Amino acid sequence: MRRPRSRKSTNSNLGQPRCGQPLQNKVQLKGRDLLTLKDFTGEEIKYMLWLSADLKFRIKQKGEYLPLLQGKALSMIFEKRSTRTRLSTETGFALLGGHPCFLTTQDIHLGVNESLTDTARVLSSMTDAVLARVYKQSDLDILAKEASIPIVNGLSDLYHPIQILADYLTLQEHYGSLKGLTLSWIGDGNNILHSIMMSAAKFGMHLQAATPKRLEVQNQGAGRVILFLKPLGKDPSMSLRTSGGPRYLLIPSLGMIILREYKNLLFKGKAKFSGQEAHEGYEPDPSVIKLAERYAKENSTKLSLTNDPLEAARGGNVLITDTWISMGQEEEKKMRLQAFQGYQITMKTAKVAASDWTFLHCLPRKPEEVDDEVFYSPRSLVFPEAENRKWTIMAIMVSLLTDYSPQLQKPKF
């Protein structure tokens, strides 16, 4: 866990609290980076949710004006487009008196026109925090290392922590507590699932995840890579040239498979390959699985990984899915749609879930992922979930930039 760096203190004078006496709080997050929830304890994550509930109650319900971020500026780096992340961050930061600065790839091109180190130092001199929505988690790691201000992960290829905080706040509001809930993930083993795996057990929640079978890569010597797709029972492999050749593998039964994430590795011509380096598929990252298994053991929760959507849904309180085709994966659409056949969440899926089941999706949603009957049903929490992106990102900024403590009674988690 990265140690918090020493930064300038900000105290907000709010006058007398109107929601009861301030509760003693031992959690201090000021100055920290939020790159992944694996860097935070259960109590620290609960604190961020508590603060979210506090701000939502005081501002939305009581109509209070809380200029907690007055005089603060936020750099927003967006390599990927977004509706909810941009809107929640801009409106939330401004509502607290701060000034958000939105930067697209037209304004800033990380590591291209200027090194990540130089970018981090420049932004540190002009703003108080950075929220970055990027392709590579490694870019966030470099920004955090070089910056003297908090860096917040707005989404990366590996994690999406701010989305999961909104999900948990939504579930706490609905169920009254998170402990003992069973989360049923049905979809891609992506950054959303990774963030759930890094945090659910810390609340005492169980996780059952179904993803399509992994496409495994094995080394057959320099210049040749063999891919095995389970459970086909046949070897659907072909050779790949590592220099001057096509950047894809054609399997007749599946169509074209684009090896986007590993094309630099695969096509150097002298690279050595291993199954772990060339992991390409739909199951969670092996290193994330290993750590999630440790969390489950430490917190006496259950972690189940399967390729059967109904098995993952069985007994689940919360049915969760996400897009099957993330930004940057458009060329894989045909192959992915075929691989995810049978993964659509429908009322048939819900029939095997718990009687109090609910549904979450971080949006935007495609009908093949979940049908209208589930998506627009009274059990669907997707729109409160979307709104809670605003309250949780506000809480993150307040916790990282100020000494404010919640005035609301701590919710039950």
Side-chain angles (χ1 to χ4, degrees), residues 1-2 29 32-49 52 137 140-141 151-156 158-169 178 183 191-203 205 288 291-292 294-295 298-299 392-393 396 399-400:
M1 185 182 300
R2 183 181 289 105
L29 301 181
R32 295 271 295 275
D33 301 308
L34 175 52
L35 306 183
T36 165
L37 293 177
K38 75 178 181 181
D39 294 336
F40 292 80
T41 66
E43 288 305 311
E44 289 172 336
I45 302 173
K46 290 174 185 177
Y47 173 76
M48 286 187 277
L49 296 181
S52 303
Q137 180 75 21
L140 292 170
D141 294 334
I151 306 297
V152 177
N153 181 355
L155 175 143
S156 73
L158 197 57
Y159 297 113
H160 196 359
I162 61 175
Q163 175 63 54
I164 302 311
L165 293 178
D167 292 358
Y168 290 170
L169 178 62
L178 299 179
L183 309 181
N191 50 12
I192 300 284
L193 178 56
H194 287 166
S195 291
I196 294 174
M197 295 172 73
M198 293 298 94
S199 56
K202 298 173 184 179
F203 287 85
M205 290 188 285
V288 174
L291 190 53
R294 194 189 89 188
Y295 290 153
E298 290 174 352
N299 294 278
T392 48
I393 196 65
I396 289 168
S399 65
L400 301 184

Side-chain angles (χ1 to χ4, degrees), residues 270-287:
K270 58 183 180 180
K272 294 183 179 180
F273 310 109
S274 70
Q276 184 175 3
E277 289 173 328
H279 168 78
E280 171 77 11
Y282 310 110
E283 294 175 327
D285 184 275
S287 63

Side-chain angles (χ1 to χ4, degrees), residues 59-77:
I59 296 173
K60 182 179 181 179
Q61 300 299 326
K62 301 197 71 178
E64 294 186 50
Y65 176 55
L66 303 178
L68 299 171
L69 299 179
Q70 190 168 11
K72 300 291 185 185
L74 172 69
S75 295
M76 299 171 58
I77 300 174

Side-chain angles (χ1 to χ4, degrees), residues 52-66 95 173 383-384 387-388 390-391 394:
S52 303
D54 175 85
L55 295 176
K56 186 174 184 179
F57 176 77
R58 297 190 68 182
I59 296 173
K60 182 179 181 179
Q61 300 299 326
K62 301 197 71 178
E64 294 186 50
Y65 176 55
L66 303 178
L95 186 59
E173 291 174 338
F383 297 112
E387 180 195 342
N388 280 335
K390 178 174 181 173
W391 303 109
M394 290 167 66

Side-chain angles (χ1 to χ4, degrees), residues 178-246:
L178 299 179
K179 187 175 182 179
L181 291 179
T182 296
L183 309 181
S184 296
W185 175 271
I186 300 172
D188 195 8
N190 61 13
N191 50 12
I192 300 284
L193 178 56
H194 287 166
S195 291
I196 294 174
M197 295 172 73
M198 293 298 94
S199 56
K202 298 173 184 179
F203 287 85
M205 290 188 285
H206 311 291
L207 176 60
Q208 301 171 171
T211 57
K213 294 259 182 186
R214 180 182 302 170
L215 185 65
E216 295 184 351
V217 182
Q218 293 185 7
N219 179 26
Q220 298 293 316
R224 181 175 169 80
V225 180
I226 304 297
L227 292 91
F228 300 93
L229 182 69
K230 298 178 180 180
L232 287 182
K234 294 182 179 180
D235 179 1
S237 59
M238 291 181 62
S239 298
L240 276 175
R241 292 199 301 271
T242 57
S243 61

Side-chain angles (χ1 to χ4, degrees), residues 14-22 58 62 64 406-407:
L14 299 176
Q16 294 298 319
R18 302 180 187 179
C19 305
Q21 291 299 316
R58 297 190 68 182
K62 301 197 71 178
E64 294 186 50
Q407 309 298 304

